[in-house]
């Protein structure tokens, strides 16, 4: 347990998809004056170096954020512009040295005056310590709290929030096979406690039945609860061009596809992603198997 470190994967294609979707949701939910609670059940370290040993060993950001930053899109979709702005926001000196994890993607969009709150949970001893230190730099006071607790369990006590407005990001590492079932159980329980909350789940698309079942089971849950849902996937496909720096050899067999499943998505999310996903694929797609999908229901 706990061999997963997000630092190896920070800024990869899966982070690009996840964080772009996340920004689209938070930006919409912060339009209404009532306070918003955001819960990040698996928060990671918050901020990552793109030039440290982790990032250099994996090289994953090269096929994600670094490629997107270098791309020359004639007319970038607004969701892509917002996402790049979030990444630039933690790189004030100009050079791209840091990558914002979900806490640092969410927090700048929250409002002090509206009393929005961000509750972060991270179990890994080193990452939770790093998260506390990174969050301290934000000087966000009571707006942001960090706890070294099981995010699945901690969420129960937070729903429903007093303001009746919440976004929950569920982004486990799926290091343990039981995470797949936990995600579904967590959504089932959360929808009972607070059926109008917005829930965003990231999952890997890998040849494993439990992973394959995640969107199918979440669709069933949302449909049974009579709630709308949205499902976006991005597959960058296999590398086709020669790999001059030998990155592929140094890597573990890499993840090439992932999905975001959102229950009670803002109505603005689907049009935003319809514009952004084809552009993401154009820039990040590599070869055989590259694809993007966007479906919704409810
Ligand atoms: N959400 C982060 C982001 O987008 O920047 C990345 C999170 S990473 C995919 C998953 C994290 O969950 C890891 O840092 C891992 O240590 C942590 N973790 C694993 N099981 C957990 C649990 N039950 N509760 C809270 N954190 C957990």
């Amino acid at each position: 347990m706990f061999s997963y470190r997000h630092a190896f994967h920070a800024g990869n294609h899966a982070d690009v998809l996840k964080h772009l979707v996340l920004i689209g949701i938070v930006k919409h939910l912060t339009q209404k004056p009532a306070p918003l609670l955001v819960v990040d059940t698996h928060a990671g370290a918050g901020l990552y170096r793109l030039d440290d040993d982790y990032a250099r060993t994996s090289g994953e950001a090269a096929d994600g954020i670094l490629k997107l930053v270098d791309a020359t899109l004639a007319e970038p979709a607004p969701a892509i512009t917002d996402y790049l702005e979030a990444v630039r926001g933690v790189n004030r000196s100009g050079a791209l040295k840091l990558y914002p994890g979900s806490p640092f993607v969410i927090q700048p969009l929250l409002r002090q005056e509206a009393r929005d709150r961000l509750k972060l949970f991270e179990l890994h001893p080193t990452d939770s310590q790093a998260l506390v230190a990174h969050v301290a730099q934000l000087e966000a006071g009571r707006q942001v709290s960090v706890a070294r607790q099981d995010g699945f369990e901690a969420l129960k006590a937070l729903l429903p929030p007093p303001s009746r407005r919440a976004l929950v990001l569920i982004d486990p590492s799926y290091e343990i096979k039981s995470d797949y079932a936990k995600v579904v159980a967590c959504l089932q329980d959360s929808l009972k406690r607070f059926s109008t909350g917005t829930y965003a789940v990231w999952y890997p698309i890998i040849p494993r039945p439990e992973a394959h079942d995640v969107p199918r089971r979440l669709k069933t849950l949302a449909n049974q609860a009579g709630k709308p849902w949205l499902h976006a996937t991005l597959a960058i496909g296999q590398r086709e061009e020669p790999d001059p720096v030998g990155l592929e050899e140094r890597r573990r067999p890499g993840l090439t596809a992932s999905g975001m499943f959102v229950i009670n998505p803002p109505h603005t999310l689907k049009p935003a992603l319809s514009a952004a996903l084809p552009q993401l694929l154009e820039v990040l797609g590599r070869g055989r198997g590259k694809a993007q999908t966007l479906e919704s229901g409810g």
Side-chain angles (χ1 to χ4, degrees):
M1 194 187 175
F2 283 145
S3 61
Y4 180 93
R5 305 297 304 280
H6 195 69
F8 285 108
H9 312 288
N12 70 0
H13 61 89
D15 263 5
V16 173
L17 173 70
K18 181 199 336 174
H19 295 152
L20 183 139
V21 171
L22 192 56
I23 291 167
I25 299 172
V26 179
K27 277 197 110 163
H28 181 82
L29 292 180
T30 47
Q31 301 290 308
K32 285 194 184 160
L36 176 70
L37 168 70
V38 185
V39 184
D40 189 347
T41 59
H42 297 69
L47 207 52
Y48 305 91
R49 291 205 67 91
L50 287 169
D51 58 358
D52 67 6
D53 285 348
Y54 296 110
R56 280 209 303 267
T57 305
S58 77
E60 290 192 22
D63 281 335
I65 181 60
L66 299 176
K67 222 178 198 179
L68 193 59
V69 159
D70 283 345
T72 41
L73 286 162
E75 259 184 74
I80 293 184
T81 306
D82 290 345
Y83 167 67
L84 291 176
E85 201 176 298
V87 176
R88 291 203 180 97
V90 297
N91 289 284
R92 300 237 178 253
S93 68
L96 200 66
K97 291 199 166 157
L98 296 171
Y99 185 79
S102 46
F104 276 67
V105 165
I106 299 164
Q107 191 276 333
L109 302 172
L110 300 184
R111 305 154 304 170
Q112 285 289 1
E113 67 287 0
R115 300 194 178 186
D116 294 333
R117 293 284 181 266
L118 174 58
K119 296 203 178 287
L120 307 170
F121 298 97
E122 171 54 50
L123 264 185
H124 194 290
T126 313
D127 281 353
S128 66
Q129 223 176 0
L131 181 61
V132 168
H134 289 143
V135 164
Q137 293 172 20
L138 290 170
E139 298 184 355
R142 293 184 55 205
Q143 186 184 63
V144 185
S145 65
V146 182
R148 195 179 152 204
Q149 268 177 272
D150 179 338
F152 290 122
E153 280 304 312
L155 177 62
K156 294 179 182 169
L158 298 172
L159 301 180
S163 68
R164 300 259 154 191
R165 301 191 66 239
L167 162 65
V168 180
L169 171 66
I170 304 175
D171 179 27
S173 46
Y174 299 94
E175 189 186 357
I176 318 164
K177 204 169 120 184
S178 58
D179 272 354
Y180 294 99
K182 278 192 184 171
V183 164
V184 177
C186 176
L187 257 295
Q188 189 166 26
D189 179 72
S190 300
L191 282 169
K192 272 191 204 134
R193 291 174 193 270
F194 182 46
S195 67
T196 54
T198 297
Y199 299 92
V201 174
W202 178 88
Y203 72 95
I205 299 180
I206 49 174
R208 177 171 205 155
E210 298 85 359
H212 195 73
D213 275 354
V214 168
R216 192 180 57 75
R217 295 178 72 186
L218 294 181
K219 258 178 230 174
T220 304
L221 279 182
N223 289 336
Q224 281 168 350
K227 298 298 172 193
W229 54 267
L230 179 147
H231 180 210
T233 68
L234 179 69
I236 62 169
Q238 304 300 324
R239 184 184 293 283
E240 282 192 340
E241 72 273 23
D243 179 17
V245 283
L247 280 177
E248 207 78 328
E249 276 161 38
R250 281 188 281 155
R251 278 181 201 164
R252 298 182 301 157
L255 178 76
T256 61
S258 70
M260 277 292 272
F261 195 94
V262 186
I263 298 181
N264 292 320
H267 65 89
T268 45
L269 192 58
K270 193 171 183 192
L273 294 180
S274 300
L277 283 175
Q279 293 189 350
L280 283 187
L281 190 68
E282 183 190 323
V283 176
L284 303 184
R286 303 189 299 192
R288 190 166 46 85
K290 69 178 180 183
Q292 52 91 15
T293 65
L294 183 61
E295 52 169 352
S296 60

